[in-house]
Amino acid sequence: AQTVTQSQPEMSVQEAETVTLSCTYDTSESDYYLFWYKQPPSRQMILVIRQEAYKQQNATENRFSVNFQKAAKSFSLKISDSQLGDAAMYFCAYRRRGGGSNYKLTFGKGTLLTVNP
Amino acid sequence: KAGVTQTPRYLIKTRGQQVTLSCSPISGHRSVSWYQQTPGQGLQFLFEYFSETQRNKGNFPGRFSGRQFSNSRSEMNVSTLELGDSALYLCASSLKEGVWTEAFFGQGTRLTVV
């Protein structure tokens, strides 16, 4: 079974600074997707960024980028120029690719990010 | 473009009762998945539906069930409610025109069992 581990229950960052959230995962699959989701107090889970395992290039979305190390099974999220609106719970998630209609997401426990003004 | 809609947003039930939660996916999406979120267990997969068929099921007791209608809307039902069923229930939709998309989530239904 796949597992996702987020070792940082809480993190804090000063506004405009950079912060990195860690995630490791365990899988025997070779082809899969990895995601970072953000859940603000409104409870809506919002996709921040996604990475296909077959792509060696790290994904980037504006101020958000990942460091994907497939051999190490590591998938960290870097938030640059942090803003107050980035404060939320961040979840790392895994989904296998292909294999019928198995669209189950496996989530880590989450990292609560606080942004200090 | 309308997002995933879950109703109701909040629900208070008594132990032993049953409850039905509803999820309307994004237009064109055909896969609906349900997750339970609690402070202790985090996000746990309940089940996934596609073309009115349950395709995948998480490790939950038989009190948890669901279904999907021909318009892709889904309901989940919990019978004989227990205090431990208090949680945020999230629904996610994906898969449009045979192409898997990332999962889009609704705002959830907060269920409190007293």
Side-chain angles (χ1 to χ4, degrees), chain A residues 96 99-104, chain B residues 30-34 45-58 66-68 95:
Chain A
R96 62 189 290 255
S101 61
N102 183 354
Y103 299 116
K104 165 188 172 182
Chain B
R30 298 187 59 199
S31 171
V32 173
S33 298
W34 290 87
F45 172 76
L46 279 157
F47 26 64
E48 176 211 342
Y49 286 87
F50 171 66
S51 292
E52 302 176 63
T53 303
Q54 187 181 93
R55 301 297 178 127
N56 200 7
K57 182 174 168 60
R67 58 178 175 169
Q68 186 181 35
L95 188 62

Side-chain angles (χ1 to χ4, degrees), chain A residues 39 44 101-103 105, chain B residues 35 37 48 56 100 105 107:
Chain A
Q39 188 179 40
Q44 179 104 44
S101 61
N102 183 354
Y103 299 116
L105 285 164
Chain B
Y35 295 84
Q37 185 176 19
E48 176 211 342
N56 200 7
W100 183 83
F105 285 82
Q107 287 191 286

Side-chain angles (χ1 to χ4, degrees), chain B residues 16-107:
Chain B
Q17 288 186 312
Q18 74 166 19
V19 66
T20 299
L21 312 182
S22 179
C23 172
S24 293
I26 290 172
S27 177
H29 284 194
R30 298 187 59 199
S31 171
V32 173
S33 298
W34 290 87
Y35 295 84
Q36 182 196 64
Q37 185 176 19
T38 59
Q41 299 298 317
L43 281 148
Q44 293 186 287
F45 172 76
L46 279 157
F47 26 64
E48 176 211 342
Y49 286 87
F50 171 66
S51 292
E52 302 176 63
T53 303
Q54 187 181 93
R55 301 297 178 127
N56 200 7
K57 182 174 168 60
N59 188 26
F60 279 82
R63 300 185 297 105
F64 291 81
S65 63
R67 58 178 175 169
Q68 186 181 35
F69 302 94
S70 59
N71 62 357
S72 295
R73 189 177 72 85
S74 177
E75 290 181 347
M76 68 163 280
N77 184 79
V78 188
S79 63
T80 318
L81 283 165
E82 300 177 359
L83 295 178
D85 297 332
S86 295
L88 178 66
Y89 291 88
L90 292 167
C91 163
S93 76
S94 59
L95 188 62
K96 183 169 184 175
E97 296 174 356
V99 178
W100 183 83
T101 68
E102 58 266 27
F104 291 85
F105 285 82
Q107 287 191 286

